[in-house]
Amino acid sequence: MNLRPEIGLTFDDVLLVPKRSLIRSRSAVDTSTWLVPGIRLVIPIISANMDTVTEAPMAIAMAQAGGIGILHRFMPVERQAEMVAKVKRAESFIVEHPVTIQPGATLAEARLHMAQSGIGGLVVTDAAGHVLGMVTARDLLLAPQAEARVESVMTPRERLVVAGSGEPLDAARIKLHEHRIEKLPLVDSEDRIVGLVTAQDIVKLQEHPQATKDEKGRLRVGAAIGVRSSDLQRAEACVRAGVDVLVIDIAHGHAEHVTRMVQQLKQQFPHTPVIAGNVATAQGVQDLAQAGADAIKVGVGAGSICITRIVTGYGVPQLTALDDCSKAGKALGLPIIADGGIRNSGDLTKALAVGAASAMLGSLLAGTDESPGAAVVRDGRRFKVVRGMASLTANVARKEIEQQGEIEPDEWEKVVPEGVEALVPHRGGVADILHQLVGGLRSGMSYAGAETIDALHAKAEFIRITPAGWSESRPHDVNVI
Ligand code: XMP
């Protein structure tokens, strides 16, 4: 037997001690952090790779707000890759593969093409991609003959404003404005189409100045994968679709098959960062780091919907796990992601203060408009469902995807769940929740006198509290309305 002498602590066991602060306003605080080396987040928040939390709408909203979403893996490979592509298409100042049409096509075909791709203009090219003109919805609006040819209504090349492939964003914006046009085709030295800048995309860029974006101005997104050999194909499909980071999503991440997977991913996709987890010990961090992981996810049994600790007896209270793992991560230069158990901005601040670079949230984001699934009404109040990815129904759903059909009733009985299914209040848009969380974090950082997350790590001092201290910390002796 090996009984560790120290007591494992979690969020409610401690408070942060206020420090002398020179910060006069919460707006002076910088919450930016590293997700992995090379990917900066303006807000240190990640939406969890759970099927009741992150699909494309959540990933788009998270990246627009300055965080990032990790698409769950409990769906067919093609669907996950399509979701990656959807996030990558949602915003960018350059459309990389503009939809084109040939000059001999009919106006009816052009209309159909526009409707199917949901766009308002097509670049007209020859078969080799040379630009011959542009046709927009306005050109088609009152055109009488559906059978007329596109070339009869298009703006021809000689009247078209174009730019070179390397056109900087500001120059593109000026050109669009000066010529009062909405679309600017980008061409190579032989006048072949290589991209398109639209006024609408530039406006979107201004709407979300904090957004987490790649070097091409596209929103960033992560995708979860498992550790089976088929997960290498899943990874490949996501990488091809433009994923920014892969997340190995295993409940017990301190395991041989996880380190092997990290090594294989790093070998096969050397330019795609890999987050691995979950672990709860310094040794777990060191082993995954040695395998090549770029960041480590920490948390075993801490999540709101987890019953791993009840079913298996295993876990480390989250604050202690984060403390041990962050010290190991810091020594290796690896960011630590606090995953599970965060219920409010106070918990978020504590998770970061103890050493995490960012935090992953599940239930807290599951009740938003952007999470998958519809709201249900109970006793006149609206709720959404959140479920552990090791819950009974999530296990069954996974088996059904694998078998491509319903499983037999006796298969249900074989499942040993390590998660539960629950309702959370429907809370509206995720941007509002993030605003509250980040507001609380900013305030928390100012209590420490910390202008940055790094300063918070350095300055944070925790004090253990008793249950009496905890009751004092909550509203008490009043009837809260
Ligand atoms: P919160 O507390 O933010 O936690 O809802 C989200 C994290 O919980 C983990 N997770 C699970 N853990 N059984 C578990 O033991 C499960 O079924 C389960 N599903 C999710 C996961 O790390 C997630 O990010």
Side-chain angles (χ1 to χ4, degrees):
M1 187 193 69
N2 179 9
L3 183 60
R4 283 168 61 165
E6 77 275 21
I7 294 174
L9 300 174
T10 193
F11 301 120
D12 286 355
D13 293 319
V14 297
L15 286 170
L16 283 154
V17 180
K19 294 285 164 128
R20 181 183 149 87
S21 178
L22 297 176
I23 299 170
R24 301 181 112 218
S25 152
R26 296 191 321 182
S27 59
V29 166
D30 174 4
T31 61
S32 66
T33 191
W34 295 109
L35 173 70
V36 291
I39 299 187
R40 195 86 179 148
L41 305 178
V42 173
I43 65 168
I45 302 180
I46 306 163
S47 66
N49 40 278
M50 294 165 66
D51 67 356
T52 46
V53 180
T54 310
E55 292 190 350
M58 178 66 81
I60 290 171
M62 288 299 300
Q64 284 174 337
I68 195 166
I70 310 297
L71 299 166
H72 71 89
R73 65 186 169 96
F74 301 102
M75 57 182 133
V77 171
E78 309 72 46
R79 190 159 166 250
Q80 193 183 22
E82 178 44 38
M83 274 188 206
V84 170
K86 196 167 176 188
V87 182
K88 300 305 290 180
R89 273 198 308 265
E91 273 187 28
S92 96
F93 56 84
I94 296 179
V95 179
E96 282 201 305
H97 302 287
V99 184
T100 59
I101 195 162
Q102 305 230 334
T106 65
L107 302 192
E109 284 166 335
R111 279 196 186 103
L112 185 69
H113 226 38
M114 285 185 199
Q116 280 171 344
S117 16
I119 53 169
L122 304 169
V123 183
V124 185
T125 64
D126 64 15
H130 297 107
V131 176
L132 303 176
M134 167 89 99
V135 60
T136 68
R138 213 179 315 155
D139 297 324
L140 302 178
L141 200 59
L142 298 176
Q145 297 154 338
E147 292 314 307
R149 307 279 154 200
V150 162
E151 60 196 342
S152 66
V153 298
M154 71 184 187
T155 304
R157 174 66 184 91
E158 57 275 18
R159 283 201 280 120
L160 205 60
V161 182
V162 301
S165 55
E167 186 82 350
L169 178 62
D170 274 343
R173 187 204 320 257
I174 290 168
K175 251 186 196 149
L176 285 162
H177 174 67
E178 277 180 352
H179 297 275
R180 305 291 193 274
I181 51 175
E182 286 177 12
K183 292 181 167 57
L184 181 67
L186 304 179
V187 294
D188 66 10
S189 56
E190 289 174 29
D191 214 35
R192 282 179 302 223
I193 187 76
V194 290
L196 184 75
V197 179
T198 75
Q200 215 181 5
D201 285 332
I202 294 184
V203 170
K204 271 200 211 162
L205 280 187
Q206 292 162 343
E207 276 172 18
H208 306 290
Q210 300 200 326
T212 307
K213 297 207 161 173
D214 64 17
E215 61 294 338
K216 291 179 179 161
R218 303 174 301 175
L219 296 175
R220 288 198 188 270
V221 61
I225 59 165
V227 289
R228 296 190 186 171
S229 54
S230 60
D231 282 300
L232 283 173
Q233 283 134 38
R234 185 175 284 278
E236 192 185 353
C238 290
V239 169
R240 232 182 304 119
V243 81
D244 294 280
V245 56
L246 291 167
V247 178
I248 303 179
D249 161 41
I250 296 295
H252 181 30
H254 193 184
E256 192 62 27
H257 50 234
V258 178
T259 45
R260 212 174 318 119
M261 189 65 170
V262 175
Q263 286 160 348
Q264 282 174 315
L265 290 174
K266 294 306 290 182
Q267 213 166 34
Q268 232 170 301
F269 313 107
H271 305 299
T272 308
V274 175
I275 296 173
N278 279 19
V279 301
T281 61
Q283 190 64 55
V285 171
Q286 284 152 3
D287 289 351
L288 292 179
Q290 200 182 7
D294 298 285
I296 314 284
K297 208 144 69 76
V298 171
V300 174
S304 56
I305 33 54
C306 301
I307 50 170
T308 295
R309 294 181 186 175
I310 312 290
V311 174
T312 69
Y314 280 78
V316 177
Q318 186 67 344
L319 200 81
T320 295
L322 288 173
D323 188 28
D324 291 348
C325 291
S326 302
K327 283 175 183 144
K330 214 146 235 163
L332 295 160
L334 279 198
I336 295 297
I337 299 168
D339 179 18
I342 291 174
R343 301 153 302 172
N344 47 48
S345 51
D347 290 349
L348 173 66
T349 308
K350 289 174 188 174
L352 296 169
V354 78
S358 62
M360 177 171 266
L361 308 182
S363 297
L364 212 46
L365 305 180
T368 56
D369 296 337
E370 290 82 356
S371 68
V376 295
V377 177
R378 276 238 186 124
D379 300 328
R381 292 176 56 210
R382 290 164 69 82
F383 295 89
K384 287 190 91 166
V385 173
V386 59
R387 67 178 179 188
M389 294 321 307
S391 64
L392 178 63
T393 57
N395 265 297
V396 168
R398 180 162 53 235
K399 284 189 180 181
E400 288 184 343
I401 289 170
E402 280 164 14
Q403 294 177 17
Q404 298 182 355
E406 273 187 29
I407 65 167
E408 297 298 323
D410 62 332
E411 288 282 320
W412 282 69
E413 283 158 28
K414 290 188 193 153
V415 175
V416 181
E418 287 189 31
V420 297
E421 204 168 337
L423 291 177
V424 285
H426 182 209
R427 300 164 121 154
V430 72
D432 294 339
I433 308 258
L434 294 176
H435 176 78
Q436 291 299 322
L437 286 170
V438 175
L441 171 63
R442 285 178 174 280
S443 187
M445 289 171 70
S446 71
Y447 272 97
E451 277 173 348
T452 62
I453 303 273
D454 276 346
L456 181 67
H457 291 164
K459 292 186 173 183
E461 185 189 350
F462 287 92
I463 184 164
R464 277 178 63 186
I465 58 172
T466 61
W470 184 237
S471 0
E472 185 189 61
S473 306
R474 304 161 68 90
H476 54 86
D477 302 310
V478 291
N479 282 328
V480 177
I481 48 174

